[in-house]
Coordinates of all heavy atoms in Angstrom, one line a residue:
M6 N 7.5 -4.3 -1.3 CA 6.7 -5.5 -1.3 C 5.7 -5.5 -2.4 O 5.4 -6.5 -3.1 CB 6.1 -5.8 0.1 CG 5.2 -6.9 0.1 SD 6.1 -8.4 0.5 CE 4.8 -9.6 0.3
G7 N 5.1 -4.3 -2.7 CA 4.0 -4.2 -3.6 C 4.4 -4.2 -5.1 O 3.7 -4.6 -5.9
S8 N 5.6 -3.7 -5.3 CA 6.0 -3.6 -6.7 C 7.1 -4.6 -7.0 O 7.8 -5.0 -6.2 CB 6.6 -2.2 -7.0 OG 7.7 -2.0 -6.3
F9 N 7.1 -5.0 -8.3 CA 8.1 -6.0 -8.7 C 9.3 -5.3 -9.4 O 9.1 -4.4 -10.1 CB 7.5 -7.0 -9.7 CG 6.4 -7.9 -9.1 CD1 5.1 -7.7 -9.3 CD2 6.8 -9.0 -8.2 CE1 4.1 -8.5 -8.7 CE2 5.9 -9.8 -7.7 CZ 4.5 -9.5 -7.9
S10 N 10.5 -5.9 -9.1 CA 11.6 -5.3 -9.8 C 11.8 -6.0 -11.1 O 11.1 -6.9 -11.5 CB 12.9 -5.5 -8.9 OG 13.2 -6.9 -8.9
I11 N 12.8 -5.5 -11.9 CA 13.1 -6.1 -13.2 C 13.5 -7.5 -13.1 O 13.3 -8.3 -14.0 CB 14.2 -5.2 -13.9 CG1 14.4 -5.6 -15.3 CG2 15.5 -5.3 -13.2 CD1 13.3 -5.3 -16.2
W12 N 14.2 -7.9 -12.0 CA 14.6 -9.3 -11.8 C 13.4 -10.2 -11.6 O 13.5 -11.4 -12.1 CB 15.6 -9.4 -10.6 CG 16.8 -8.6 -10.8 CD1 17.2 -7.4 -10.2 CD2 17.8 -8.8 -11.8 NE1 18.3 -6.9 -10.7 CE2 18.8 -7.8 -11.7 CE3 18.0 -9.8 -12.8 CZ2 19.9 -7.7 -12.5 CZ3 19.1 -9.8 -13.6 CH2 20.0 -8.7 -13.5
H13 N 12.4 -9.8 -11.0 CA 11.2 -10.6 -10.9 C 10.6 -10.9 -12.2 O 10.2 -12.0 -12.6 CB 10.1 -9.9 -10.0 CG 10.5 -9.9 -8.5 ND1 10.9 -8.7 -7.9 CD2 10.5 -10.8 -7.6 CE1 11.2 -9.0 -6.7 NE2 10.9 -10.2 -6.4
W14 N 10.5 -9.8 -13.1 CA 9.9 -10.0 -14.4 C 10.8 -10.9 -15.3 O 10.3 -11.6 -16.1 CB 9.7 -8.6 -15.1 CG 8.6 -7.9 -14.4 CD1 8.7 -6.7 -13.7 CD2 7.2 -8.3 -14.3 NE1 7.5 -6.4 -13.2 CE2 6.5 -7.3 -13.5 CE3 6.5 -9.4 -14.8 CZ2 5.2 -7.4 -13.3 CZ3 5.1 -9.4 -14.5 CH2 4.5 -8.4 -13.8
L15 N 12.1 -10.8 -15.1 CA 13.0 -11.7 -15.9 C 12.8 -13.1 -15.5 O 12.9 -14.0 -16.4 CB 14.5 -11.2 -15.7 CG 14.9 -9.9 -16.5 CD1 16.3 -9.5 -16.1 CD2 14.7 -10.1 -18.0
V16 N 12.7 -13.4 -14.3 CA 12.5 -14.8 -13.8 C 11.1 -15.3 -14.4 O 11.1 -16.4 -14.8 CB 12.5 -14.9 -12.3 CG1 12.1 -16.2 -11.8 CG2 13.9 -14.6 -11.8
V17 N 10.1 -14.5 -14.3 CA 8.8 -14.9 -14.9 C 8.9 -15.1 -16.4 O 8.4 -16.1 -16.9 CB 7.8 -13.8 -14.6 CG1 6.5 -14.0 -15.3 CG2 7.5 -13.7 -13.1
L18 N 9.6 -14.3 -17.1 CA 9.8 -14.5 -18.5 C 10.6 -15.8 -18.8 O 10.2 -16.5 -19.7 CB 10.6 -13.3 -19.1 CG 10.9 -13.4 -20.6 CD1 9.6 -13.3 -21.4 CD2 11.8 -12.2 -21.0
V19 N 11.6 -16.1 -18.1 CA 12.3 -17.3 -18.3 C 11.4 -18.5 -18.0 O 11.4 -19.5 -18.8 CB 13.6 -17.4 -17.4 CG1 14.2 -18.8 -17.4 CG2 14.6 -16.3 -17.9
I20 N 10.6 -18.5 -17.0 CA 9.7 -19.6 -16.6 C 8.7 -19.8 -17.7 O 8.4 -20.9 -18.2 CB 9.1 -19.4 -15.3 CG1 10.1 -19.5 -14.2 CG2 7.9 -20.4 -15.0 CD1 9.7 -19.1 -12.8
V21 N 8.2 -18.7 -18.2 CA 7.2 -18.8 -19.3 C 7.8 -19.4 -20.6 O 7.2 -20.2 -21.3 CB 6.5 -17.4 -19.6 CG1 5.8 -17.3 -20.9 CG2 5.7 -16.9 -18.4
L22 N 9.0 -18.9 -20.9 CA 9.7 -19.5 -22.1 C 10.0 -21.0 -21.9 O 9.8 -21.8 -22.9 CB 11.0 -18.8 -22.3 CG 10.9 -17.4 -22.9 CD1 12.3 -16.7 -22.9 CD2 10.4 -17.5 -24.3
L23 N 10.3 -21.4 -20.7 CA 10.5 -22.8 -20.5 C 9.3 -23.7 -20.5 O 9.3 -24.8 -21.1 CB 11.2 -23.0 -19.1 CG 12.7 -22.6 -19.0 CD1 13.1 -22.7 -17.6 CD2 13.5 -23.4 -19.9
V24 N 8.2 -23.1 -20.1 CA 6.9 -23.8 -20.0 C 6.3 -23.9 -21.4 O 5.9 -25.0 -21.9 CB 5.9 -23.2 -19.0 CG1 4.5 -23.8 -19.2 CG2 6.4 -23.4 -17.6
F25 N 6.2 -22.8 -22.1 CA 5.5 -22.8 -23.4 C 6.4 -23.0 -24.6 O 6.0 -23.4 -25.7 CB 4.8 -21.5 -23.6 CG 3.6 -21.3 -22.6 CD1 3.7 -20.4 -21.6 CD2 2.5 -22.1 -22.7 CE1 2.6 -20.3 -20.7 CE2 1.4 -22.0 -21.9 CZ 1.5 -21.1 -20.8
G26 N 7.6 -22.6 -24.5 CA 8.5 -22.7 -25.6 C 8.4 -21.5 -26.6 O 7.4 -20.8 -26.6
T27 N 9.4 -21.2 -27.3 CA 9.4 -20.1 -28.2 C 8.5 -20.2 -29.4 O 7.9 -19.2 -29.8 CB 10.9 -19.7 -28.7 OG1 11.4 -20.9 -29.4 CG2 11.8 -19.4 -27.5
K28 N 8.3 -21.4 -29.9 CA 7.5 -21.6 -31.0 C 6.0 -21.3 -30.7 O 5.3 -20.6 -31.5 CB 7.6 -23.0 -31.5 CG 6.9 -23.3 -32.9 CD 7.3 -24.6 -33.4 CE 6.7 -24.7 -34.8 NZ 7.1 -25.9 -35.5
K29 N 5.5 -21.7 -29.6 CA 4.1 -21.4 -29.2 C 4.0 -19.9 -28.9 O 2.9 -19.3 -29.3 CB 3.7 -22.2 -28.0 CG 3.3 -23.6 -28.3 CD 2.7 -24.3 -27.0 CE 2.3 -25.7 -27.3 NZ 1.7 -26.3 -26.1
L30 N 5.0 -19.3 -28.3 CA 4.9 -17.9 -28.0 C 4.9 -17.1 -29.2 O 4.1 -16.1 -29.3 CB 6.0 -17.5 -27.0 CG 5.9 -18.0 -25.6 CD1 7.1 -17.6 -24.8 CD2 4.6 -17.6 -25.0
T31 N 5.7 -17.4 -30.2 CA 5.7 -16.6 -31.4 C 4.4 -16.8 -32.2 O 3.9 -15.8 -32.8 CB 6.9 -17.0 -32.3 OG1 6.9 -18.4 -32.6 CG2 8.2 -16.5 -31.7
S32 N 3.9 -18.0 -32.3 CA 2.6 -18.2 -33.0 C 1.5 -17.5 -32.3 O 0.6 -16.9 -32.9 CB 2.4 -19.7 -33.2 OG 2.1 -20.3 -32.0
G33 N 1.5 -17.5 -31.0 CA 0.5 -16.8 -30.2 C 0.6 -15.3 -30.4 O -0.4 -14.6 -30.5
A34 N 1.8 -14.8 -30.5 CA 2.0 -13.3 -30.8 C 1.5 -13.0 -32.1 O 0.9 -11.9 -32.3 CB 3.5 -13.0 -30.6
K35 N 1.8 -13.8 -33.1 CA 1.3 -13.6 -34.5 C -0.2 -13.6 -34.5 O -0.9 -12.8 -35.2 CB 1.8 -14.6 -35.5 CG 3.3 -14.5 -35.8 CD 3.7 -15.6 -36.8 CE 5.2 -15.5 -37.0 NZ 5.7 -16.6 -37.9
D36 N -0.8 -14.6 -33.8 CA -2.3 -14.6 -33.8 C -2.9 -13.4 -33.1 O -3.9 -12.8 -33.6 CB -2.8 -15.9 -33.0 CG -2.5 -17.1 -33.8 OD1 -2.2 -17.1 -35.0 OD2 -2.5 -18.2 -33.2
L37 N -2.3 -13.0 -32.0 CA -2.7 -11.8 -31.4 C -2.6 -10.5 -32.2 O -3.5 -9.7 -32.3 CB -2.0 -11.6 -30.0 CG -2.4 -10.4 -29.2 CD1 -3.8 -10.5 -28.7 CD2 -1.4 -10.2 -28.0
G38 N -1.5 -10.4 -33.0 CA -1.3 -9.3 -33.9 C -2.3 -9.3 -35.0 O -2.8 -8.2 -35.3
S39 N -2.6 -10.4 -35.6 CA -3.5 -10.4 -36.7 C -4.9 -10.1 -36.1 O -5.7 -9.5 -36.8 CB -3.5 -11.8 -37.4 OG -3.9 -12.8 -36.5
A40 N -5.2 -10.6 -34.9 CA -6.6 -10.2 -34.3 C -6.7 -8.7 -34.1 O -7.7 -8.2 -34.4 CB -6.7 -11.0 -33.0
V41 N -5.6 -8.1 -33.6 CA -5.7 -6.7 -33.4 C -5.8 -5.9 -34.7 O -6.6 -5.0 -34.8 CB -4.4 -6.2 -32.6 CG1 -4.3 -4.7 -32.6 CG2 -4.5 -6.7 -31.2
K42 N -5.1 -6.4 -35.7 CA -5.2 -5.8 -37.1 C -6.6 -5.9 -37.6 O -7.1 -4.9 -38.2 CB -4.2 -6.5 -38.0 CG -4.2 -5.8 -39.4 CD -3.3 -6.7 -40.4 CE -1.9 -6.3 -40.3 NZ -1.1 -6.9 -41.3
E43 N -7.2 -7.0 -37.5 CA -8.6 -7.2 -38.0 C -9.6 -6.4 -37.2 O -10.5 -5.8 -37.8 CB -9.0 -8.7 -37.9 CG -8.3 -9.6 -39.0 CD -8.7 -9.2 -40.4 OE1 -9.9 -8.9 -40.6 OE2 -7.8 -9.2 -41.2
F44 N -9.3 -6.2 -35.9 CA -10.2 -5.4 -35.1 C -10.1 -3.9 -35.5 O -11.1 -3.3 -35.7 CB -9.8 -5.5 -33.6 CG -10.6 -4.7 -32.7 CD1 -11.9 -5.0 -32.4 CD2 -10.1 -3.5 -32.2 CE1 -12.7 -4.2 -31.6 CE2 -10.8 -2.7 -31.3 CZ -12.1 -3.0 -31.0
K45 N -8.9 -3.5 -35.8 CA -8.7 -2.1 -36.2 C -9.4 -1.9 -37.6 O -10.0 -0.8 -37.8 CB -7.2 -1.7 -36.2 CG -6.6 -1.5 -34.9 CD -5.2 -1.1 -35.0 CE -4.6 -0.9 -33.6 NZ -3.1 -0.6 -33.7
K46 N -9.2 -2.9 -38.5 CA -9.8 -2.8 -39.8 C -11.3 -2.7 -39.7 O -12.0 -1.9 -40.4 CB -9.4 -4.0 -40.6 CG -9.9 -3.9 -42.0 CD -9.5 -5.2 -42.8 CE -10.1 -5.3 -44.2 NZ -9.8 -6.5 -44.8
G47 N -11.9 -3.5 -38.8 CA -13.3 -3.5 -38.6 C -13.8 -2.2 -38.0 O -14.9 -1.7 -38.4
M48 N -13.0 -1.6 -37.2 CA -13.4 -0.3 -36.6 C -13.4 0.8 -37.6 O -14.2 1.7 -37.7 CB -12.5 0.1 -35.4 CG -12.7 -0.8 -34.2 SD -14.4 -0.9 -33.6 CE -14.5 0.8 -32.9
R49 N -12.4 0.7 -38.6 CA -12.3 1.7 -39.6 C -13.5 1.6 -40.6 O -14.1 2.5 -41.0 CB -11.0 1.6 -40.4 CG -9.8 2.3 -39.8 CD -8.7 2.4 -40.8 NE -8.4 1.1 -41.4 CZ -7.4 0.3 -41.0 NH1 -6.6 0.6 -40.0 NH2 -7.2 -0.9 -41.6
D50 N -13.8 0.3 -40.9 CA -14.9 0.1 -41.8 C -16.2 0.5 -41.2 O -17.1 0.9 -41.9 CB -14.9 -1.4 -42.2 CG -13.8 -1.8 -43.1 OD1 -13.1 -0.9 -43.6 OD2 -13.5 -3.0 -43.2
E51 N -16.3 0.4 -39.9 CA -17.6 0.7 -39.2 C -17.8 2.2 -39.3 O -19.0 2.7 -39.3 CB -17.5 0.2 -37.8 CG -18.8 0.4 -37.0 CD -18.7 -0.1 -35.6 OE1 -18.6 -1.4 -35.5 OE2 -18.8 0.6 -34.7
D52 N -16.7 3.0 -39.3 CA -16.9 4.5 -39.3 C -17.4 5.0 -40.7 O -18.0 6.0 -40.7 CB -15.5 5.1 -39.0 CG -15.1 4.9 -37.6 OD1 -16.0 4.6 -36.8 OD2 -13.9 5.1 -37.3
K53 N -17.1 4.2 -41.7 CA -17.6 4.6 -43.1 C -19.1 4.4 -43.2 O -19.6 3.5 -42.6 CB -16.9 3.8 -44.1 CG -15.4 4.0 -44.2 CD -14.8 3.2 -45.2 CE -13.3 3.3 -45.2 NZ -12.6 2.4 -46.2
P54 N -19.8 5.3 -43.9 CA -21.2 5.1 -44.1 C -21.5 3.8 -44.9 O -20.7 3.5 -45.8 CB -21.7 6.3 -44.8 CG -20.4 6.9 -45.4 CD -19.3 6.5 -44.6
N55 N -22.5 3.2 -44.6 CA -22.9 1.9 -45.3 C -23.3 2.3 -46.8 O -24.1 3.2 -47.0 CB -24.0 1.2 -44.6 CG -23.6 0.6 -43.3 OD1 -22.4 0.4 -43.1 ND2 -24.5 0.4 -42.4
A56 N -22.8 1.6 -47.7 CA -23.1 1.8 -49.1 C -24.5 1.2 -49.3 O -24.8 0.1 -48.8 CB -22.1 1.2 -50.0
Q57 N -25.3 1.9 -50.1 CA -26.6 1.3 -50.5 C -26.4 0.2 -51.5 O -25.6 0.3 -52.4 CB -27.5 2.4 -51.0 CG -27.8 3.5 -50.0 CD -28.8 4.5 -50.5 OE1 -29.0 4.5 -51.7 NE2 -29.3 5.4 -49.7
L58 N -27.3 -0.8 -51.4 CA -27.2 -1.9 -52.3 C -27.7 -1.4 -53.7 O -28.7 -0.7 -53.8 CB -28.1 -3.0 -51.8 CG -27.7 -3.7 -50.6 CD1 -28.7 -4.8 -50.2 CD2 -26.3 -4.4 -50.8
S59 N -27.1 -1.8 -54.7 CA -27.5 -1.5 -56.0 C -28.6 -2.4 -56.4 O -28.8 -3.5 -55.8 CB -26.4 -1.5 -57.0 OG -25.9 -2.9 -57.1
D60 N -29.4 -2.1 -57.5 CA -30.5 -2.9 -57.9 C -29.9 -4.3 -58.4 O -30.7 -5.3 -58.4 CB -31.2 -2.2 -59.0 CG -32.1 -1.1 -58.5 OD1 -32.4 -1.1 -57.3 OD2 -32.4 -0.2 -59.2
N61 N -28.7 -4.4 -58.9 CA -28.2 -5.6 -59.4 C -27.9 -6.6 -58.3 O -27.8 -7.8 -58.5 CB -26.9 -5.3 -60.2 CG -27.2 -4.5 -61.4 OD1 -28.3 -4.5 -61.9 ND2 -26.2 -3.8 -61.9
S62 N -27.6 -6.1 -57.1 CA -27.3 -7.0 -56.0 C -28.5 -7.6 -55.3 O -28.4 -8.5 -54.5 CB -26.4 -6.3 -55.0 OG -27.1 -5.2 -54.4
R63 N -29.6 -7.0 -55.5 CA -30.8 -7.5 -54.9 C -31.4 -8.7 -55.7 O -31.3 -8.7 -57.0 CB -31.9 -6.4 -54.8 CG -31.5 -5.3 -53.9 CD -32.6 -4.3 -53.8 NE -32.1 -3.1 -53.2 CZ -32.6 -1.9 -53.4 NH1 -33.6 -1.8 -54.2 NH2 -32.1 -0.9 -52.8
P64 N -32.1 -9.6 -55.1 CA -32.7 -10.7 -55.9 C -33.9 -10.1 -56.7 O -34.6 -9.3 -56.2 CB -33.1 -11.7 -54.8 CG -33.1 -11.0 -53.5 CD -32.2 -9.8 -53.7
Q65 N -34.0 -10.6 -57.9 CA -35.0 -10.1 -58.7 C -36.3 -11.0 -58.6 O -36.2 -12.2 -58.9 CB -34.6 -10.0 -60.2 CG -33.4 -9.1 -60.4 CD -33.8 -7.6 -60.2 OE1 -34.9 -7.2 -60.5 NE2 -32.9 -6.9 -59.6
D66 N -37.4 -10.4 -58.3 CA -38.6 -11.1 -58.2 C -39.7 -10.2 -58.9 O -40.0 -9.2 -58.3 CB -39.0 -11.4 -56.8 CG -40.2 -12.3 -56.6 OD1 -40.7 -12.8 -57.7 OD2 -40.7 -12.5 -55.5
S67 N -40.2 -10.6 -60.0 CA -41.1 -9.8 -60.8 C -42.5 -9.7 -60.2 O -43.2 -8.8 -60.5 CB -41.2 -10.3 -62.2 OG -41.7 -11.6 -62.2
T68 N -42.8 -10.6 -59.2 CA -44.2 -10.6 -58.7 C -44.3 -9.5 -57.6 O -45.4 -9.1 -57.3 CB -44.5 -12.0 -58.1 OG1 -43.6 -12.3 -57.1 CG2 -44.5 -13.0 -59.2
T69 N -43.2 -9.2 -57.0 CA -43.3 -8.2 -55.9 C -42.8 -6.8 -56.4 O -41.8 -6.8 -57.2 CB -42.5 -8.6 -54.7 OG1 -41.2 -8.8 -55.0 CG2 -43.1 -9.9 -54.1
T70 N -43.3 -5.8 -55.9 CA -42.8 -4.4 -56.3 C -42.1 -3.9 -55.1 O -42.5 -4.1 -54.0 CB -43.9 -3.5 -56.7 OG1 -44.9 -3.4 -55.7 CG2 -44.6 -4.0 -58.0
S71 N -41.1 -3.1 -55.3 CA -40.4 -2.5 -54.2 C -41.2 -1.3 -53.7 O -42.1 -0.8 -54.4 CB -39.0 -2.1 -54.6 OG -39.1 -1.0 -55.6
Q72 N -40.8 -0.8 -52.6 CA -41.5 0.4 -52.0 C -41.3 1.6 -52.9 O -42.3 2.3 -53.1 CB -41.0 0.6 -50.6 CG -41.7 1.8 -49.9 CD -43.1 1.5 -49.6 OE1 -43.5 0.3 -49.3 NE2 -44.0 2.5 -49.6
T73 N -40.2 1.8 -53.5 CA -40.0 2.9 -54.3 C -40.8 2.9 -55.6 O -41.3 3.9 -56.1 CB -38.5 3.1 -54.7 OG1 -38.0 1.9 -55.3 CG2 -37.6 3.4 -53.5
E74 N -40.9 1.7 -56.2 CA -41.8 1.5 -57.3 C -43.2 1.8 -57.0 O -44.0 2.4 -57.8 CB -41.6 0.1 -57.9 CG -40.3 -0.1 -58.6 CD -40.1 -1.6 -59.0 OE1 -41.0 -2.4 -58.7 OE2 -39.1 -1.9 -59.6
H75 N -43.6 1.4 -55.8 CA -45.0 1.6 -55.3 C -45.2 3.1 -55.1 O -46.3 3.6 -55.5 CB -45.2 0.8 -54.0 CG -46.6 1.0 -53.5 ND1 -47.7 0.5 -54.1 CD2 -47.1 1.7 -52.4 CE1 -48.8 0.8 -53.4 NE2 -48.4 1.5 -52.4
D76 N -44.2 3.8 -54.6 CA -44.4 5.2 -54.4 C -44.4 6.0 -55.7 O -45.1 7.0 -55.8 CB -43.2 5.7 -53.5 CG -43.3 5.2 -52.1 OD1 -44.4 4.7 -51.7 OD2 -42.3 5.3 -51.4
R77 N -43.7 5.5 -56.7 CA -43.7 6.2 -58.0 C -44.9 6.0 -58.8 O -45.2 6.7 -59.8 CB -42.5 5.8 -58.8 CG -41.2 6.4 -58.3 CD -40.1 6.1 -59.2 NE -39.2 5.2 -58.5 CZ -38.4 4.3 -59.1 NH1 -38.4 4.3 -60.4 NH2 -37.7 3.5 -58.5
A78 N -45.7 4.9 -58.5 CA -46.9 4.6 -59.3 C -47.9 5.7 -59.2 O -48.1 6.3 -58.1 CB -47.4 3.3 -58.9
P79 N -48.5 6.1 -60.3 CA -49.6 7.2 -60.3 C -50.8 6.7 -59.5 O -51.1 5.5 -59.5 CB -49.9 7.4 -61.7 CG -49.4 6.2 -62.5 CD -48.3 5.6 -61.7
R80 N -51.4 7.6 -58.8 CA -52.5 7.2 -58.0 C -53.8 7.7 -58.6 O -54.0 8.6 -59.3 CB -52.4 7.8 -56.6 CG -51.2 7.2 -55.9 CD -51.1 7.7 -54.5 NE -49.9 7.1 -54.0 CZ -49.3 7.5 -52.9 NH1 -49.7 8.5 -52.3 NH2 -48.2 6.9 -52.5

């Protein structure tokens, strides 16, 4: 009573195919696959150390000095 046989799962599969259709199921499977791929890619990228921003990527504002410039200034 507690476990389902292969025939139960086949009947459920046929009902799901009839209700949703193969087109929706294949597009849903593609979406799920791409989501898993993006998740794995994000997990791999998270493991890598964060690259430090170069000076060219920061906004340039001549009125403010950065902390490193302040530390390098003679006292």
Side-chain angles (χ1 to χ4, degrees):
M6 175 86 188
S8 65
F9 292 105
S10 69
I11 188 72
W12 298 110
H13 290 105
W14 291 115
L15 287 175
V16 169
V17 169
L18 179 64
V19 168
I20 291 171
V21 167
L22 284 173
L23 289 174
V24 170
F25 293 109
T27 56
K28 190 170 186 173
K29 280 189 179 180
L30 289 178
T31 54
S32 67
K35 285 180 186 177
D36 291 342
L37 181 63
S39 64
V41 169
K42 183 188 273 187
E43 288 295 321
F44 177 76
K45 287 181 179 180
K46 181 181 175 185
M48 293 302 290
R49 277 194 309 263
D50 291 344
E51 188 177 293
D52 291 342
K53 295 178 184 176
N55 292 335
Q57 293 182 352
L58 293 175
S59 65
D60 289 336
N61 296 337
S62 64
R63 295 184 193 153
Q65 297 295 325
D66 187 6
S67 61
T68 60
T69 60
T70 59
S71 67
Q72 183 66 32
T73 55
E74 290 173 355
H75 180 69
D76 291 342
R77 282 189 252 156
R80 296 185 184 161

